[in-house]
Amino acid sequence: MICRAAIALAALFPLSANAMDVGRSDYVFSSDLALQGFEPFAATTGNAVYGMKKGADMYLCFIADNGDFANERQAKLLAEIKGEALARDVPNIPVVCVLTQ
């Protein structure tokens, strides 16, 4: 009975619109945030590899790699270990950061 009353009250008085509104923003590269003075912090949520923070602004950062680049890096690094590397250039690992609210 109490459970039904709680559900009825929740339906009559939903959370404020502000608590549910989610804005949109472009993702930002981690290096761009560093240039703007953001500092990294450890993040252990949402599959983020780390976060970037400056004042009240906080971003969670994620690896945005593709298989071809990862395979090229692995092949070149294995060649280096074997002493067979012809070049040291490898694709960078892109990390994109998303604004949190």
Side-chain angles (χ1 to χ4, degrees):
M1 182 70 173
I2 294 175
C3 185
R4 284 188 212 166
I7 293 171
L9 283 173
L12 290 174
F13 301 104
L15 295 174
S16 70
N18 289 341
M20 299 303 257
D21 287 345
V22 176
R24 295 185 66 88
S25 62
D26 292 341
Y27 67 84
V28 182
F29 288 105
S30 178
S31 56
D32 293 333
L33 291 175
L35 289 173
Q36 296 173 28
F38 281 77
E39 295 184 356
F41 66 90
T44 58
T45 185
N47 295 327
V49 291
Y50 59 90
M52 299 288 283
K53 185 174 182 173
K54 179 179 171 186
D57 293 331
M58 188 169 49
Y59 287 80
L60 290 178
C61 302
F62 306 86
I63 293 177
D65 206 3
N66 71 39
D68 292 338
F69 289 155
N71 291 337
E72 182 182 346
R73 276 191 303 277
Q74 183 175 11
K76 286 191 176 184
L77 294 174
L78 289 173
E80 176 66 30
I81 290 169
K82 294 177 184 176
E84 302 169 355
L86 300 177
R88 296 180 69 162
D89 68 312
V90 293
N92 293 336
I93 300 171
V95 176
V96 296
C97 302
V98 179
L99 182 64
T100 63
Q101 288 184 296

Short mmCIF file of all heavy atoms in Angstrom, two decimals, residues 3 11 17 25-26 31 46 64 84 92-94:
data_model
loop_
_atom_site.label_atom_id
_atom_site.label_comp_id
_atom_site.label_asym_id
_atom_site.label_seq_id
_atom_site.Cartn_x
_atom_site.Cartn_y
_atom_site.Cartn_z
N CYS A 3 3.89 1.47 -1.02
CA CYS A 3 4.59 1.50 -2.31
C CYS A 3 3.73 2.14 -3.37
O CYS A 3 4.20 2.96 -4.16
CB CYS A 3 5.00 0.08 -2.69
SG CYS A 3 5.99 0.03 -4.18
N ALA A 11 4.40 10.21 -9.59
CA ALA A 11 3.77 10.56 -10.86
C ALA A 11 3.18 11.97 -10.81
O ALA A 11 3.21 12.70 -11.81
CB ALA A 11 2.69 9.54 -11.20
N ALA A 17 12.41 19.94 -14.15
CA ALA A 17 12.92 19.81 -15.52
C ALA A 17 14.42 20.00 -15.56
O ALA A 17 15.12 19.36 -16.35
CB ALA A 17 12.23 20.81 -16.43
N SER A 25 27.13 19.33 -26.41
CA SER A 25 28.34 20.09 -26.70
C SER A 25 29.25 19.22 -27.57
O SER A 25 29.10 18.00 -27.60
CB SER A 25 29.06 20.50 -25.42
OG SER A 25 29.46 19.37 -24.69
N ASP A 26 30.17 19.86 -28.25
CA ASP A 26 31.14 19.12 -29.07
C ASP A 26 32.15 18.45 -28.17
O ASP A 26 32.49 18.96 -27.10
CB ASP A 26 31.88 20.08 -30.00
CG ASP A 26 30.98 20.67 -31.07
OD1 ASP A 26 29.90 20.09 -31.33
OD2 ASP A 26 31.36 21.70 -31.64
N SER A 31 44.39 17.12 -25.65
CA SER A 31 45.50 18.07 -25.78
C SER A 31 45.00 19.51 -25.83
O SER A 31 45.67 20.42 -25.31
CB SER A 31 46.32 17.75 -27.03
OG SER A 31 45.48 17.74 -28.18
N GLY A 46 32.14 5.09 -16.22
CA GLY A 46 31.72 5.22 -17.60
C GLY A 46 32.76 4.85 -18.64
O GLY A 46 32.74 5.39 -19.73
N ALA A 64 39.45 7.03 -28.52
CA ALA A 64 38.64 7.01 -29.74
C ALA A 64 39.47 6.44 -30.88
O ALA A 64 39.63 7.06 -31.93
CB ALA A 64 38.14 8.42 -30.06
N GLU A 84 63.83 -5.06 -35.81
CA GLU A 84 63.58 -5.02 -37.25
C GLU A 84 62.84 -3.76 -37.68
O GLU A 84 62.37 -3.67 -38.82
CB GLU A 84 62.75 -6.24 -37.66
CG GLU A 84 63.40 -7.56 -37.32
CD GLU A 84 62.46 -8.74 -37.49
OE1 GLU A 84 61.26 -8.53 -37.78
OE2 GLU A 84 62.93 -9.88 -37.31
N ASN A 92 49.07 8.40 -33.59
CA ASN A 92 48.76 8.78 -32.22
C ASN A 92 47.48 8.08 -31.78
O ASN A 92 46.65 7.67 -32.62
CB ASN A 92 48.54 10.30 -32.12
CG ASN A 92 49.81 11.06 -32.37
OD1 ASN A 92 50.89 10.56 -32.19
ND2 ASN A 92 49.65 12.30 -32.81
N ILE A 93 47.29 7.98 -30.48
CA ILE A 93 46.07 7.41 -29.93
C ILE A 93 45.14 8.59 -29.61
O ILE A 93 45.43 9.37 -28.70
CB ILE A 93 46.34 6.59 -28.65
CG1 ILE A 93 47.28 5.44 -28.97
CG2 ILE A 93 45.03 6.08 -28.06
CD1 ILE A 93 47.79 4.70 -27.75
N PRO A 94 44.04 8.74 -30.37
CA PRO A 94 43.16 9.87 -30.11
C PRO A 94 42.37 9.68 -28.82
O PRO A 94 41.82 8.62 -28.56
CB PRO A 94 42.23 9.88 -31.33
CG PRO A 94 42.26 8.49 -31.85
CD PRO A 94 43.60 7.91 -31.48
#
